[in-house]
Amino acid sequence: MDSHTISFCDSNSPFDCIVFDLDDTLYPANTGIASALKKNIDDYLVEKFGFSESKASSHRVELFKTYGSTLAGLRALGHDIDADDYHRLPYDSQLRNLLFSIAQRKIIFTNSDRNHAVKVLERLGLSDCFEQIVCFESMNPNLSKSSRPDEFPVVLKPSMDAMNIALSLIHVNPRRTLFLDDNVRNIAAARAVGLRTVLVGKTVKTEGADYVLDTINNLGKVIPELWVSGTDGGDQRISRTRSDIDSILTTTAVGA
Ligand SMILES: [Mg+2]
């Protein structure tokens, strides 16, 4: 994997780059994006109109039933809601803060297509948190040009081809790169190409997982060394202390 050793940051952290899976990793599998977005709308109604949380929730349901969507209902009732503003609402400000507190490069690596990835990140309020998206099209650049179905086999995680394509696209040293995914087979594949691995959404480590996180929001608690940095060669936590991380983690309760 030395051919991928191209970039690294001047840091005492053991990691230069964090590679995140998208679906079921950045948002929880057991609640789903739909629930998270409902909570997001409720928060918007509370903030914008001063409703209580229960009133916001019942109002959202009523508007949805009558007008097909909360946004459509609010506009039909004469509220001047800016659609872009509404759609850009951060789903999870805690996660957004957490991601922004990480100085290292941050990459999305998903089997989903680019359109889905872009939309989900937008709805999560995380579009500007990542340097690059490696997705279905990145792994299968020639698929649309194929003249027969078996000409270009589909490449996806957890295949070694997929892992190596991603590594070549993002130019990292795998041993200094943290790979987060909810799928145990993807974790095993990542370990096989030399990445450091984090199994997300589980409580028990599987073979190939260096760390396990029940939720992405616990990243700072489980892997505080992500925030270790400094230029004097000492093992000092300059950019983030443990209490800084804890305050980031407790700033906003996660909805849904
Ligand atoms: Mg996933």
Side-chain angles (χ1 to χ4, degrees), residues 21-25 110 157 181-183 186:
D21 174 45
L22 179 62
D23 303 308
D24 298 335
T25 294
T110 175
K157 290 185 284 183
D181 203 299
D182 63 289
N183 183 302
N186 295 348

Side-chain angles (χ1 to χ4, degrees), residues 6 19 55 65 75 94 130 133 146 156 168 182 193-194 209 214 217 220:
I6 295 173
V19 176
K55 171 95 190 285
K65 278 183 188 162
R75 291 186 66 86
Q94 182 187 20
F130 300 95
I133 297 174
S146 63
L156 293 172
S168 67
D182 63 289
V193 295
D214 57 345
N217 289 289

Side-chain angles (χ1 to χ4, degrees), residues 145-157:
K145 301 173 204 150
S146 63
S147 53
R148 47 173 218 281
D150 60 347
E151 188 176 1
F152 299 111
V154 172
V155 176
L156 293 172
K157 290 185 284 183

